[in-house]
Amino acid sequence: MNDRFLRALAREPVDRTPVWIMRQAGRYLPEYRATRARAGSFVTLCKTPELACEVTLQPLARYPLDAAILFSDILTIPDAMGLGLSVEEGVGPRLAKPVRTRADIEKLGVPDPETDLRYVMDAVRLIRRELHDKAPLIGFAGSPWTLACYMIEGEGSSSFARAKALALDDAATMHKLLDVVARSVAAYLAAQASAGVQALMVFDTWGGLLAPDMFGEFSLRYLAQIAQSLQIHNVAKSIPLILFSKGANAHLEVLADTGCAALGLDWTIALGDARTRVGHRVALQGNLDPAVLHASPDAIRREAKRALDSFGPHPGHVFNLGHGITPDVKPESLGVLIEAVQDLSRRA
Amino acid sequence: MNDRFLRALAREPVDRTPVWIMRQAGRYLPEYRATRARAGSFVTLCKTPELACEVTLQPLARYPLDAAILFSDILTIPDAMGLGLSVEEGVGPRLAKPVRTRADIEKLGVPDPETDLRYVMDAVRLIRRELHDKAPLIGFAGSPWTLACYMIEGEGSSSFARAKALALDDAATMHKLLDVVARSVAAYLAAQASAGVQALMVFDTWGGLLAPDMFGEFSLRYLAQIAQSLQIHNVAKSIPLILFSKGANAHLEVLADTGCAALGLDWTIALGDARTRVGHRVALQGNLDPAVLHASPDAIRREAKRALDSFGPHPGHVFNLGHGITPDVKPESLGVLIEAVQDLSRRA
């Protein structure tokens, strides 16, 4: 198997820097849009293992990527808790039954991954079979804070003021919610590992919206709880965990202390500076600005080189964007980037 | 005159921490909505000095604020350059004629503030008269990078990928645009000072979207150009300049070196940490998360205290939110915050 990605996460030497792309199975690909149209809805695409498998594999057929990532959504857990997920084209995800009161939150239980999220586990098993060890498969979940934001608001928000107000006014209730979500995420990730994923990633998309004290109390604490739970259950020994707290570069040192294997980075920090700050505790994944893919091939190559040079000739770098690839990128542009990373990082 | 705000910007001792609120003349106030409805459109409200004066003064009639801020919009400069500003309710600003090519950019000239932006200067003069020295008046402009983003895209964007692609593909053309905008901003701010504003603020709303190298080249450089231009023209001697680069806390030290009097801060950094990093070079303005205003009075008071304690008993703090107040805040909640800041910061 191509194990560059796993070796880089273990901070072992590799022949060239591994690369995969957040949201690589996504709307910028015409073949994805075709499958998505066939599925009828985004949620059906997620919930049908054959279709989820199909779109997971599409970018690997097109590009020489070093990892596949399960096609799914971070809101599968709230959906399995009974909140009712739908995703409207161009509007974003919506939960029909947001949680607003302590009573709402006390009713929530930890979903059983093999029954309540069976479709995800079936997708993982199918993808592993169909991948034929061409590349490792990454499983993922949303962070407790990020999921709690959606569960309270019922939809996306620029400020998640309702979620923050609950945290400020009734921290005990917010912790109750975050704890049940964190236990659900840990169980879900452990089950994905049992089903066959070879690395795990937690997306803390909204952690960076928190003031520093609140980040520690309401986001970081539960990321650490998940990392520790995976260690206790012996998952973390063999399955590396990547934490990605977008917009939270002020907190890299404490994120690196959670026991994760790697940190995902957005593009607002130089890779070399991040490496200096976290030392050799963790590998780093990232971090090209997705907007670079709107520039010319020359600029894409130049920026890829800048990122590789910034990290330097050390082990422990997984190349990626600093956020998901956007639907309006030309597939050829991603091809240019991947080729550049592979050419420029090849060890003599 | 109540000069607490100006004394704090000069890092002189004050009897209590001065406070004003970004977007204090805004949609959360019923009296603002009434004037706005009377104006018919947001742009008419901006362009009619009597109405701009009326809404500028509204929050000062309601709250014991330590500064007024000119009611206007950062896109007055692109509008004066001929790009055609409109603002649709619930959609945001739109420029009818975005600039996309070098030829578009070469056609742009520096607007003459007293003719092309006469309505702003008239508003400043009228507001100063009507304020009766109750509080100092702040004038403002958008940063060159932020204005360039809007001028290229023609509207708001989550990524401003088109603006970034131009910067990456044709830096010379982007610099041509940023330079003409920076000269326009400097002339505009100097004219506002001549017309009577007593402090100036530059809003670099989208600086934090840039990777570190690009921030230095495309945002910081032009903020420094404006600060230096104001010094050369002897404006900065008497009229302090506040720079606010949202999401750019990684760059506080270099922002403090531009020659500005103060830095605005968003809420993702502790005030005490920011103060440690910039030392006594500049005053600091901020930085409560606007979402705190959705919490209970007790939580609002507690978070105000936390911010004041974080800054500590030093001169050089202007209390504000870390971003503009949102339309859904109850006016009473802002009253609670202002009272808390004034009570808790009173020197013995």
Side-chain angles (χ1 to χ4, degrees), chain A residues 164 169 209 213 289 296 306, chain B residues 164 169 213 289 296 306:
Chain A
K164 288 177 178 174
D169 282 335
L209 294 182
D213 288 344
D289 185 347
S296 64
R306 190 202 297 262
Chain B
K164 288 177 178 174
D169 281 335
D213 289 345
D289 184 347
S296 64
R306 191 203 297 262

Side-chain angles (χ1 to χ4, degrees), chain B residues 52-53 56-57 70 123-131 137:
Chain B
C53 175
T56 297
L57 298 179
L70 167 69
V124 168
R125 285 183 280 260
L126 182 59
I127 296 164
R128 274 302 307 273
R129 266 206 308 281
E130 299 290 323
L131 256 176
L137 177 63

Side-chain angles (χ1 to χ4, degrees), chain B residues 83-315:
Chain B
L83 274 63
L85 171 65
S86 61
V87 180
E88 208 182 317
E89 198 71 48
V91 177
R94 185 176 295 274
L95 294 167
K97 297 179 218 160
V99 295
R100 296 280 163 82
T101 65
R102 184 160 185 109
D104 292 341
I105 288 165
E106 280 173 345
K107 272 183 230 139
L108 299 173
V110 174
D112 176 63
E114 277 294 348
T115 53
D116 305 324
L117 289 153
R118 174 69 182 256
Y119 65 89
V120 177
M121 304 309 143
D122 285 345
V124 168
R125 285 183 280 260
L126 182 59
I127 296 164
R128 274 302 307 273
R129 266 206 308 281
E130 299 290 323
L131 256 176
H132 301 297
D133 278 342
K134 191 175 168 185
L137 177 63
I138 307 166
F140 72 92
S143 76
W145 167 252
T146 298
L147 294 181
C149 279
Y150 280 112
M151 291 170 75
I152 292 165
E153 306 277 347
E155 59 193 357
S157 159
S158 59
S159 63
F160 292 104
R162 212 190 298 249
K164 288 177 178 174
L166 178 64
L168 290 164
D169 281 335
D170 186 355
T173 294
M174 183 51 117
H175 283 301
K176 209 169 174 56
L177 173 59
L178 291 166
D179 178 66
V180 70
V181 175
R183 286 184 288 119
S184 302
V185 168
Y188 182 54
L189 293 176
Q192 289 185 41
S194 299
V197 305
Q198 292 138 301
L200 293 166
M201 183 157 171
V202 173
F203 290 90
D204 187 30
T205 315
W206 305 122
L209 294 182
L210 288 165
D213 289 345
M214 289 185 76
F215 178 81
E217 181 175 353
F218 297 106
S219 177
L220 177 68
R221 172 171 160 182
Y222 294 95
L223 296 172
Q225 179 175 321
I226 291 164
Q228 282 152 28
S229 170
L230 292 175
Q231 276 168 343
I232 290 164
H233 294 91
N234 271 325
V235 175
K237 249 190 205 157
S238 44
I239 313 287
L241 173 66
I242 308 164
L243 295 183
F244 179 40
S245 255
K246 187 165 183 293
N249 291 331
H251 307 290
L252 292 187
E253 292 86 347
V254 286
L255 284 162
D257 284 336
T258 54
C260 64
L263 295 180
L265 295 174
D266 68 35
W267 65 92
T268 65
I269 186 168
L271 280 170
D273 290 344
R275 210 179 57 79
T276 303
R277 282 175 49 198
V278 301
H280 297 288
R281 277 178 288 180
V282 292
L284 295 176
Q285 177 175 281
N287 74 343
L288 203 70
D289 184 347
V292 171
L293 291 174
H294 291 267
S296 64
D298 279 355
I300 292 171
R301 281 187 281 263
R302 187 187 68 224
E303 295 303 312
K305 182 168 185 340
R306 191 203 297 262
L308 290 166
D309 289 350
S310 176
F311 190 86
H314 314 273

